[in-house]
Amino acid sequence: MRITCVGGGPAGLYFSVLAKLADPSHEVTVLERNPAGVTWGWGVVFWDDLLDDLFKHDPVSAERIWESARKWDEYEVRATGKPVSHLAGYGFSLGRHRLLEILGERAAELGVQVSWSDELGDLAALPPADLVVACDGARSRIRESAAEHFGAEVEVASNKYIWLGTPHVFDTFTFGFEKTPAGWIWYHAYPFSGDKSTFIVECQPQTWSALGFDTLDAQQGTARLEEIFADHLGGQPLIDHRAEVGGTGWLNFRRVTAQRWDHGNVVLMGDAAHTTHFAIGSGTKLAMQDAMALASAISSGDPLPVALERYEHRRKAAMAPLQKAARASSAWFERLPEYADLPGKQFSYALSNRRGEYPAWRYLLHMTTQSRVPRTMLRWTLSARRSSRARRRPPLITA
Ligand SMILES: Cc1cc2nc3c(=O)[nH]c(=O)nc-3n(C[C@H](O)[C@H](O)[C@H](O)COP(=O)(O)OP(=O)(O)OC[C@H]3O[C@@H](n4cnc5c(N)ncnc54)[C@H](O)[C@@H]3O)c2cc1C
């Protein structure tokens, strides 16, 4: 089979590895617009479930990922005016650069042709292939070239965020919330190597404008963030890659959903098919699990259309609970000011239950029996749930 993957992110590179492992006679090419070793973003987090899957599918790359990953042991919550609290949980993190380096090397070892600095402008320009995998990210040009067929919808989240790095090595996964005269602004940070951490800053749009980020350039913007988060950064700077090329990295998260994932011999994979808000840190995992499912579907011996349909159904079903959790989690951060003035313990509790995993009755029972929570807290919880239900959904924009 001749397979062309457009996009050399985690989805495209990992799929190319698995396709070659499934059948070394497949001719697999990956086109990536960036030069080798160049990518966006910083470290990403993941958990045991991904590691288990990686070891099952390709122990060689799994071992390298495992060796390069950093483990963190709890969640720390720091918020203005509240004592520091610690929530149970652990996970792993790895620089996106390192992940792509491991996958790119593994692909090359298996005979995949990885063509760096090779941007696909037009689908018609592709050499003939039996299967074209569109793994060209959230703004997929291939998806957009047949937007009606794929039925892609993009929902734009209201909060502003920026993905930064810092040489400050956080002890563990840390959420930090600062109260400024313009409103609350917070970060999600975690170490991903011996000398770097990811530092994602988020705030409501009105806070963002009031703090001047709508007019500051990248350098001025990072300087302002360094001032705001000075107590959290141990004297270290924040790094915005965009500062080197002008512009700024502030964005609104775009939640992409595609109704259909295949069109003839073209199939969507990873962020090109669906994006998952970073508030639950799972987009890379889902992209790599798509790759596993697609590689297994095309190795089944079924005709291609059947294999592609099975892949799509399997993945949509598998990811539905996580997508739901991501929506709940990002919505919680959009309503942060409703929770931010709670006392420290209750605030951290609400943060840990932001995915809505614990049913309200269990949460309330725990709050009344296990801790000395005043009745006003119960009233607040019930009214917060009522007002969140009444809240309008964010606008839908059709891509
Ligand atoms: C702030 C933030 C934090 C995140 N943190 C985490 C986390 O902690 N854990 C986690 O699991 N996920 C995280 N994610 C999500 C994760 O980054 C994505 O879900 C993941 O990168 C998707 O992989 P992909 O291969 O589908 O797409 P991408 O990683 O976007 O790769 C697509 C590739 O296609 C290339 N490309 C695009 N167009 C073309 C073209 N026309 N021709 C050739 N090449 C092209 C691009 O250069 C890119 O390399 C985060 C996302 C954000 C925004």
Side-chain angles (χ1 to χ4, degrees), residues 263-303:
H263 187 22
N265 69 338
V266 179
V267 65
L268 305 179
M269 184 173 67
D271 272 14
H274 52 82
T275 59
T276 309
H277 196 275
F278 57 83
I280 64 160
S282 293
T284 305
K285 171 178 94 168
L286 294 177
M288 294 178 85
Q289 288 174 335
D290 281 359
M292 296 167 196
L294 183 59
S296 141
I298 62 159
S299 311
S300 63
D302 286 330

CSV table of all heavy atoms in Angstrom, one decimal, residues 263-303:
chain,number,residue,atom,x,y,z
A,263,HIS,N,-13.1,10.5,3.3
A,263,HIS,CA,-13.6,11.0,2.0
A,263,HIS,C,-12.8,10.4,0.9
A,263,HIS,O,-11.7,10.7,0.7
A,263,HIS,CB,-13.4,12.6,2.0
A,263,HIS,CG,-14.1,13.2,0.9
A,263,HIS,ND1,-15.1,12.7,0.2
A,263,HIS,CD2,-13.8,14.5,0.3
A,263,HIS,CE1,-15.5,13.6,-0.8
A,263,HIS,NE2,-14.7,14.6,-0.7
A,264,GLY,N,-13.4,9.3,0.3
A,264,GLY,CA,-12.6,8.6,-0.7
A,264,GLY,C,-11.4,7.9,0.0
A,264,GLY,O,-11.6,7.2,1.1
A,265,ASN,N,-10.2,8.2,-0.5
A,265,ASN,CA,-9.0,7.5,0.2
A,265,ASN,C,-8.4,8.5,1.2
A,265,ASN,O,-7.2,8.3,1.5
A,265,ASN,CB,-8.0,7.1,-0.9
A,265,ASN,CG,-7.4,8.3,-1.6
A,265,ASN,OD1,-8.0,9.4,-1.6
A,265,ASN,ND2,-6.2,8.0,-2.2
A,266,VAL,N,-9.1,9.6,1.5
A,266,VAL,CA,-8.5,10.5,2.5
A,266,VAL,C,-9.1,10.3,3.9
A,266,VAL,O,-10.4,10.2,4.0
A,266,VAL,CB,-8.7,12.0,2.0
A,266,VAL,CG1,-8.2,13.0,3.0
A,266,VAL,CG2,-8.2,12.2,0.6
A,267,VAL,N,-8.3,10.3,4.9
A,267,VAL,CA,-8.9,10.1,6.2
A,267,VAL,C,-8.3,11.1,7.2
A,267,VAL,O,-7.1,11.4,7.1
A,267,VAL,CB,-8.7,8.6,6.7
A,267,VAL,CG1,-7.3,8.3,6.9
A,267,VAL,CG2,-9.5,8.4,8.0
A,268,LEU,N,-9.1,11.6,8.1
A,268,LEU,CA,-8.6,12.6,9.1
A,268,LEU,C,-8.1,11.9,10.3
A,268,LEU,O,-8.7,10.9,10.7
A,268,LEU,CB,-9.8,13.5,9.5
A,268,LEU,CG,-10.5,14.3,8.5
A,268,LEU,CD1,-11.6,15.2,9.2
A,268,LEU,CD2,-9.6,15.2,7.7
A,269,MET,N,-7.1,12.4,11.0
A,269,MET,CA,-6.6,11.8,12.2
A,269,MET,C,-6.0,12.9,13.1
A,269,MET,O,-5.5,13.9,12.7
A,269,MET,CB,-5.4,10.9,11.8
A,269,MET,CG,-4.9,10.1,12.9
A,269,MET,SD,-3.7,8.8,12.4
A,269,MET,CE,-2.4,9.8,11.8
A,270,GLY,N,-6.1,12.7,14.4
A,270,GLY,CA,-5.6,13.6,15.4
A,270,GLY,C,-6.4,14.9,15.4
A,270,GLY,O,-7.6,15.0,15.2
A,271,ASP,N,-5.6,16.0,15.7
A,271,ASP,CA,-6.3,17.3,15.8
A,271,ASP,C,-7.0,17.7,14.5
A,271,ASP,O,-7.9,18.6,14.6
A,271,ASP,CB,-5.2,18.4,16.1
A,271,ASP,CG,-5.0,18.6,17.6
A,271,ASP,OD1,-5.5,17.7,18.4
A,271,ASP,OD2,-4.4,19.6,18.0
A,272,ALA,N,-6.7,17.2,13.4
A,272,ALA,CA,-7.4,17.5,12.2
A,272,ALA,C,-8.9,17.0,12.2
A,272,ALA,O,-9.8,17.6,11.6
A,272,ALA,CB,-6.7,16.8,10.9
A,273,ALA,N,-9.1,16.0,13.0
A,273,ALA,CA,-10.5,15.4,13.2
A,273,ALA,C,-11.2,15.9,14.4
A,273,ALA,O,-12.4,16.1,14.4
A,273,ALA,CB,-10.4,13.9,13.3
A,274,HIS,N,-10.4,16.3,15.4
A,274,HIS,CA,-11.0,16.7,16.7
A,274,HIS,C,-10.0,17.3,17.6
A,274,HIS,O,-8.8,16.8,17.6
A,274,HIS,CB,-11.6,15.4,17.5
A,274,HIS,CG,-10.5,14.3,17.6
A,274,HIS,ND1,-9.5,14.4,18.5
A,274,HIS,CD2,-10.2,13.3,16.8
A,274,HIS,CE1,-8.7,13.3,18.3
A,274,HIS,NE2,-9.1,12.7,17.3
A,275,THR,N,-10.3,18.4,18.3
A,275,THR,CA,-9.3,18.9,19.2
A,275,THR,C,-9.9,18.7,20.7
A,275,THR,O,-11.1,18.6,20.8
A,275,THR,CB,-9.0,20.4,19.0
A,275,THR,OG1,-10.2,21.1,19.1
A,275,THR,CG2,-8.3,20.6,17.6
A,276,THR,N,-9.0,18.7,21.6
A,276,THR,CA,-9.4,18.5,23.0
A,276,THR,C,-8.8,19.5,23.9
A,276,THR,O,-7.5,19.7,23.8
A,276,THR,CB,-9.0,17.1,23.5
A,276,THR,OG1,-9.4,16.1,22.5
A,276,THR,CG2,-9.6,16.7,24.8
A,277,HIS,N,-9.5,20.3,24.6
A,277,HIS,CA,-9.0,21.4,25.4
A,277,HIS,C,-7.8,21.0,26.3
A,277,HIS,O,-7.9,19.9,26.9
A,277,HIS,CB,-10.1,22.1,26.2
A,277,HIS,CG,-9.8,23.4,26.7
A,277,HIS,ND1,-9.0,23.6,27.9
A,277,HIS,CD2,-10.0,24.6,26.2
A,277,HIS,CE1,-8.8,24.9,28.0
A,277,HIS,NE2,-9.4,25.6,27.0
A,278,PHE,N,-6.8,21.9,26.3
A,278,PHE,CA,-5.6,21.6,27.1
A,278,PHE,C,-5.9,21.4,28.6
A,278,PHE,O,-5.0,21.0,29.4
A,278,PHE,CB,-4.5,22.6,26.8
A,278,PHE,CG,-4.9,24.0,27.1
A,278,PHE,CD1,-4.9,24.5,28.4
A,278,PHE,CD2,-5.4,24.8,26.1
A,278,PHE,CE1,-5.3,25.8,28.7
A,278,PHE,CE2,-5.8,26.1,26.4
A,278,PHE,CZ,-5.8,26.6,27.7
A,279,ALA,N,-7.1,21.9,29.1
A,279,ALA,CA,-7.4,21.8,30.5
A,279,ALA,C,-7.4,20.4,31.0
A,279,ALA,O,-7.3,20.1,32.2
A,279,ALA,CB,-8.8,22.4,30.8
A,280,ILE,N,-7.5,19.4,30.1
A,280,ILE,CA,-7.3,18.0,30.6
A,280,ILE,C,-6.1,17.3,29.9
A,280,ILE,O,-5.9,16.1,30.1
A,280,ILE,CB,-8.6,17.1,30.3
A,280,ILE,CG1,-8.8,16.9,28.8
A,280,ILE,CG2,-9.8,17.6,31.1
A,280,ILE,CD1,-9.7,15.7,28.6
A,281,GLY,N,-5.3,18.1,29.2
A,281,GLY,CA,-4.0,17.6,28.7
A,281,GLY,C,-4.1,16.2,28.0
A,281,GLY,O,-3.4,15.3,28.4
A,282,SER,N,-4.9,16.0,27.0
A,282,SER,CA,-5.0,14.7,26.4
A,282,SER,C,-5.0,14.7,24.9
A,282,SER,O,-5.2,13.6,24.3
A,282,SER,CB,-6.4,14.1,26.8
A,282,SER,OG,-6.3,13.8,28.2
A,283,GLY,N,-4.8,15.8,24.2
A,283,GLY,CA,-4.9,15.8,22.7
A,283,GLY,C,-3.8,15.0,22.1
A,283,GLY,O,-4.1,14.3,21.1
A,284,THR,N,-2.6,15.0,22.6
A,284,THR,CA,-1.6,14.1,22.0
A,284,THR,C,-1.9,12.7,22.2
A,284,THR,O,-1.7,11.9,21.3
A,284,THR,CB,-0.2,14.5,22.7
A,284,THR,OG1,0.0,15.9,22.6
A,284,THR,CG2,0.9,13.7,22.1
A,285,LYS,N,-2.4,12.3,23.4
A,285,LYS,CA,-2.7,10.9,23.7
A,285,LYS,C,-3.8,10.5,22.7
A,285,LYS,O,-3.7,9.4,22.0
A,285,LYS,CB,-3.3,10.8,25.1
A,285,LYS,CG,-3.9,9.5,25.3
A,285,LYS,CD,-4.4,9.3,26.7
A,285,LYS,CE,-5.9,9.6,26.8
A,285,LYS,NZ,-6.4,9.2,28.1
A,286,LEU,N,-4.8,11.3,22.5
A,286,LEU,CA,-5.9,10.9,21.6
A,286,LEU,C,-5.4,10.8,20.1
A,286,LEU,O,-5.8,9.9,19.4
A,286,LEU,CB,-7.1,11.9,21.7
A,286,LEU,CG,-7.8,11.9,23.0
A,286,LEU,CD1,-8.9,13.0,23.0
A,286,LEU,CD2,-8.4,10.6,23.3
A,287,ALA,N,-4.5,11.7,19.8
A,287,ALA,CA,-3.9,11.7,18.4
A,287,ALA,C,-3.2,10.4,18.2
A,287,ALA,O,-3.3,9.7,17.2
A,287,ALA,CB,-3.0,12.9,18.2
A,288,MET,N,-2.4,10.0,19.2
A,288,MET,CA,-1.6,8.8,19.1
A,288,MET,C,-2.5,7.5,19.1
A,288,MET,O,-2.2,6.5,18.5
A,288,MET,CB,-0.5,8.7,20.1
A,288,MET,CG,0.5,9.8,19.9
A,288,MET,SD,1.8,9.9,21.1
A,288,MET,CE,3.0,8.7,20.5
A,289,GLN,N,-3.6,7.6,19.9
A,289,GLN,CA,-4.5,6.5,19.9
A,289,GLN,C,-5.3,6.4,18.6
A,289,GLN,O,-5.6,5.3,18.2
A,289,GLN,CB,-5.4,6.6,21.1
A,289,GLN,CG,-4.7,6.3,22.4
A,289,GLN,CD,-5.5,6.5,23.7
A,289,GLN,OE1,-6.5,7.3,23.7
A,289,GLN,NE2,-5.2,5.9,24.8
A,290,ASP,N,-5.5,7.5,18.0
A,290,ASP,CA,-6.1,7.5,16.6
A,290,ASP,C,-5.2,6.7,15.7
A,290,ASP,O,-5.6,5.8,14.9
A,290,ASP,CB,-6.2,8.9,16.0
A,290,ASP,CG,-7.4,9.7,16.5
A,290,ASP,OD1,-8.2,9.2,17.4
A,290,ASP,OD2,-7.5,10.8,16.1
A,291,ALA,N,-3.9,7.0,15.8
A,291,ALA,CA,-2.9,6.3,15.0
A,291,ALA,C,-2.9,4.8,15.2
A,291,ALA,O,-2.8,4.0,14.2
A,291,ALA,CB,-1.5,6.9,15.2
A,292,MET,N,-3.0,4.4,16.4
A,292,MET,CA,-3.1,3.0,16.7
A,292,MET,C,-4.3,2.3,16.1
A,292,MET,O,-4.2,1.3,15.5
A,292,MET,CB,-3.2,2.7,18.3
A,292,MET,CG,-1.9,3.2,19.0
A,292,MET,SD,-2.3,3.3,20.8
A,292,MET,CE,-0.9,4.3,21.4
A,293,ALA,N,-5.5,3.0,16.2
A,293,ALA,CA,-6.7,2.5,15.7
A,293,ALA,C,-6.7,2.4,14.2
A,293,ALA,O,-7.2,1.4,13.6
A,293,ALA,CB,-7.9,3.3,16.2
A,294,LEU,N,-6.1,3.5,13.6
A,294,LEU,CA,-6.1,3.5,12.1
A,294,LEU,C,-5.2,2.4,11.5
A,294,LEU,O,-5.5,1.7,10.6
A,294,LEU,CB,-5.7,4.9,11.6
A,294,LEU,CG,-5.7,5.1,10.1
A,294,LEU,CD1,-7.1,4.8,9.5
A,294,LEU,CD2,-5.3,6.5,9.7
A,295,ALA,N,-4.0,2.3,12.2
A,295,ALA,CA,-3.0,1.2,11.7
A,295,ALA,C,-3.7,-0.1,11.9
A,295,ALA,O,-3.5,-1.0,11.0
A,295,ALA,CB,-1.7,1.3,12.5
A,296,SER,N,-4.4,-0.4,13.0
A,296,SER,CA,-5.0,-1.7,13.1
A,296,SER,C,-6.1,-1.9,12.1
A,296,SER,O,-6.3,-3.0,11.6
A,296,SER,CB,-5.5,-1.8,14.6
A,296,SER,OG,-6.7,-2.4,14.7
A,297,ALA,N,-6.9,-0.8,11.8
A,297,ALA,CA,-8.0,-1.0,10.9
A,297,ALA,C,-7.5,-1.3,9.5
A,297,ALA,O,-8.1,-2.2,8.8
A,297,ALA,CB,-8.9,0.3,10.9
A,298,ILE,N,-6.5,-0.6,9.0
A,298,ILE,CA,-6.0,-0.9,7.7
A,298,ILE,C,-5.3,-2.2,7.5
A,298,ILE,O,-5.0,-2.7,6.5
A,298,ILE,CB,-5.2,0.2,7.1
A,298,ILE,CG1,-3.9,0.4,7.9
A,298,ILE,CG2,-6.0,1.5,7.0
A,298,ILE,CD1,-2.8,1.2,7.1
A,299,SER,N,-4.9,-2.8,8.7
A,299,SER,CA,-4.2,-4.1,8.7
A,299,SER,C,-5.2,-5.3,8.7
A,299,SER,O,-4.8,-6.4,8.8
A,299,SER,CB,-3.2,-4.3,9.8
A,299,SER,OG,-2.5,-3.1,9.9
A,300,SER,N,-6.5,-4.9,8.9
A,300,SER,CA,-7.5,-6.0,9.1
A,300,SER,C,-7.8,-6.9,7.9
A,300,SER,O,-8.4,-7.9,8.0
A,300,SER,CB,-8.8,-5.3,9.6
A,300,SER,OG,-9.3,-4.5,8.6
A,301,GLY,N,-7.4,-6.4,6.7
A,301,GLY,CA,-7.7,-7.1,5.5
A,301,GLY,C,-9.1,-6.7,4.9
A,301,GLY,O,-9.4,-7.2,3.8
A,302,ASP,N,-9.8,-5.9,5.6
A,302,ASP,CA,-11.1,-5.4,5.1
A,302,ASP,C,-10.8,-4.4,4.0
A,302,ASP,O,-9.8,-3.8,3.9
A,302,ASP,CB,-11.9,-4.7,6.2
A,302,ASP,CG,-12.5,-5.6,7.2
A,302,ASP,OD1,-12.7,-6.8,6.8
A,302,ASP,OD2,-12.6,-5.2,8.4
A,303,PRO,N,-11.8,-4.3,3.1
A,303,PRO,CA,-11.7,-3.2,2.0
A,303,PRO,C,-11.5,-1.9,2.7
A,303,PRO,O,-12.0,-1.6,3.8
A,303,PRO,CB,-13.0,-3.3,1.3
A,303,PRO,CG,-13.6,-4.6,1.6
A,303,PRO,CD,-13.1,-5.0,3.0
